[in-house]
Amino acid sequence: MTAKESRRIDDLATLKAFGHPLRMKLYRALYVARTATASQLAEQVDEAVSLISYHLRRLADYGLIEEAPAQGRDGRERWWRPASEGLSFRDEDFRDAPEAVAAHAAVGRLSFEQRSDLYRSYLDAQSGWAPEWRGASFSSEYLARLTAGQLAGLGAEMHELVKRYEELGRAAEEAGDTEGRENVALHLYGFPFRQ
């Protein structure tokens, strides 16, 4: 697997290792930063460097992150990066045992809670953003009647669209176009429900 591919987590041990609240926050912070040290990540999540180092090593033990080439002057500090372009967890990989079903559901709930916290933080600070950012931000709900196949197709198309924009942003940033660029979170959910 290259760093440009998303990694599909299909084993219970890796899912459980990732499913720790601090590890999930660290992974997200590292994904955004692309590379960081334990000290830099500790500042972002307001935890002790030793605790962050421990959790980074656990993520590395399961191949979720890896050491990155040193970027600072101090060669003693370890730099980390995500080992893949993202992570996915699919229901069909965790149906075979009650423990697997429970772990998959727990990681899904924790992920949703952390995403909700991120959006709440934006709402709380919304007035501090420039008008163009407030105008560009959106929140929508679409209620459609689809088949399972149509929902899967919609998800795949949305994934491709988001990846295209993400790649455009990264390419521009790598070319030096950093003016007016911010981290942007986009959370999408597609699921069946009954009234």
Side-chain angles (χ1 to χ4, degrees):
M1 172 183 344
T2 67
K4 293 288 183 193
E5 295 175 355
S6 183
R7 177 175 173 192
R8 181 174 175 172
I9 304 303
D10 58 5
D11 66 285
L12 186 57
T14 304
L15 182 70
K16 284 180 166 183
F18 180 72
H20 184 281
L22 183 54
R23 289 182 197 148
M24 290 176 76
K25 283 183 184 178
L26 290 172
Y27 185 86
R28 178 179 284 113
L30 193 55
Y31 185 85
V32 170
R34 298 189 192 123
T35 60
T37 64
S39 299
Q40 292 169 335
L41 293 168
E43 286 181 34
Q44 289 184 41
V45 298
D46 196 29
E47 294 286 351
V49 175
S50 59
L51 180 64
I52 298 307
S53 293
Y54 168 78
H55 285 293
L56 289 173
R57 286 191 306 273
R58 293 295 293 160
L59 288 168
D61 288 344
Y62 287 89
L64 300 171
I65 67 170
E66 62 191 13
E67 283 194 58
Q71 297 185 10
R73 288 180 272 184
D74 183 359
R76 295 174 294 162
E77 226 173 1
R78 291 171 91 177
W79 285 79
W80 298 97
R81 66 181 174 200
S84 62
E85 184 56 32
L87 302 175
S88 67
F89 312 93
R90 298 191 183 157
D91 172 72
E92 65 254 26
D93 296 324
F94 300 100
R95 294 180 187 163
D96 60 345
E99 181 185 14
V101 171
H104 183 255
V107 168
R109 279 191 302 278
L110 182 56
S111 181
F112 177 75
E113 289 168 11
Q114 289 186 358
R115 291 172 185 163
S116 295
D117 289 345
L118 188 61
Y119 187 56
R120 272 190 215 95
S121 294
Y122 165 73
L123 292 174
D124 291 345
Q126 188 174 12
S127 64
W129 284 95
E132 62 268 18
W133 280 106
R134 291 194 314 266
S137 300
F138 62 90
S139 171
S140 300
E141 179 179 32
Y142 303 96
L143 303 173
R145 291 192 51 80
L146 306 173
T147 65
Q150 290 170 327
L151 179 58
L154 176 61
E157 283 187 49
M158 293 178 90
H159 176 77
E160 291 304 315
L161 177 65
V162 171
K163 294 310 282 179
R164 189 174 79 227
Y165 273 88
E166 187 177 43
E167 289 168 8
L168 284 171
R170 283 193 180 185
E173 191 171 37
E174 288 169 2
D177 180 9
T178 59
E179 185 69 28
R181 203 165 293 284
E182 297 284 352
N183 295 321
V184 172
L186 180 63
H187 302 155
L188 301 171
Y189 304 95
F191 55 89
F193 70 97
R194 292 188 178 111
Q195 294 193 57

